[in-house]
């Protein structure tokens, strides 16, 4: 019923989408460190992805497992695609009909894909209370971290020992 309002909210939201990411990168050392971790695929990550029993195989996993690394890359790529195609659709006069048609298709498919990924991500988080606690508070129980992300625990422990601080 309020198409113009919804269209305006959609456009402003799309233009503001990069703002929290940029602000986080500029102001948070922790986020920059996490981005660095997400950007590094280790050989054991490929092995982790190929294993059907990956969660119980005892494979070394750092703070982020391979699926989390892939998810973050796909979401970032999707944001860039949605941003670019959204600009094409907003400034439609600069583009041919064929380009706009293609941009509309890509924008819609990418948005649908992101929606499915986000729903799946929420479902996975819903099944793991410790993961939800970590997302909400920034900390998890040591036993959970040791079971799910043993290399991360080892990294933190080594960091504490080298700095002579309690962990």
């Amino acid at each position: 019923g309020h198409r113009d309002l919804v269209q305006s909210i959609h456009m402003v939201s799309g233009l503001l989408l990069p703002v929290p990411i940029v602000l986080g990168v500029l102001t948070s050392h922790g986020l920059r460190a996490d981005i660095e971790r997400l950007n590094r695929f280790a050989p054991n990550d490929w092995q982790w992805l190929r294993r059907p029993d990956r969660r119980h195989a005892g494979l070394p996993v750092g703070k982020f497992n391979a699926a989390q690394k892939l998810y973050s890359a796909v979401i970032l790529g999707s944001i860039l695609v949605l941003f670019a195609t959204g600009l094409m659709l907003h400034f439609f006069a600069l583009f041919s009909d064929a380009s706009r048609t293609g941009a509309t298709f890509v924008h819609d498919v990418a948005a649908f894909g992101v929606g499915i990924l986000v729903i799946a991500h929420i479902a996975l988080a819903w099944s793991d209370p410790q993961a939800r606690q970590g997302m909400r508070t920034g900390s998890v129980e040591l036993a959970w971290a040791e079971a799910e992300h043993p290399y991360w625990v080892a990294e933190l422990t080594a960091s504490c020992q080298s700095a002579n601080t309690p962990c």
Side-chain angles (χ1 to χ4, degrees):
H2 300 285
R3 180 167 170 65
D4 291 337
L5 176 63
V6 171
Q7 184 178 4
S8 296
I9 291 171
H10 182 98
M11 185 65 187
V12 170
S13 299
L15 288 172
L16 293 177
L17 191 58
V19 172
I21 297 168
V22 171
L23 286 176
V25 168
L26 293 176
T27 61
S28 172
H29 173 71
L31 179 61
R32 288 191 302 274
D34 282 349
I35 289 170
E36 197 171 310
R37 284 184 179 110
L38 287 166
N39 199 29
R40 303 278 184 259
F41 236 77
N44 59 328
D45 286 332
W46 293 111
Q47 184 182 8
W48 188 91
L49 280 173
R50 287 190 293 266
R51 296 281 301 254
D53 62 340
R54 63 184 64 104
R55 299 218 38 180
H56 306 290
L59 297 171
V61 177
K63 184 173 184 180
F64 300 106
N65 65 42
Q68 291 167 318
K69 292 175 182 180
L70 284 176
Y71 179 83
S72 66
V74 168
I75 292 296
L76 178 61
S78 298
I79 288 171
L80 296 174
V81 167
L82 289 168
F83 193 76
T85 56
L87 287 174
M88 287 178 70
L89 295 172
H90 184 70
F91 298 108
F92 59 89
L94 301 173
F95 301 96
S96 68
D97 286 344
S99 295
R100 288 194 316 265
T101 301
T104 300
F105 177 77
V106 170
H107 195 82
D108 292 349
V109 169
F112 181 75
V114 166
I116 296 296
L117 284 173
V118 168
I119 289 168
H121 191 98
I122 290 169
L124 283 170
W126 196 259
S127 69
D128 190 343
Q130 276 294 306
R132 283 197 319 273
Q133 177 187 328
M135 287 184 273
R136 205 173 49 254
T137 66
S139 63
V140 294
E141 292 178 11
L142 181 59
W144 181 88
E146 287 172 337
E148 296 289 331
H149 302 274
Y151 267 29
W152 179 41
V153 173
E155 176 189 329
L156 291 174
T157 304
S159 164
C160 292
Q161 289 172 350
S162 69
N164 288 329
T165 59
C167 287

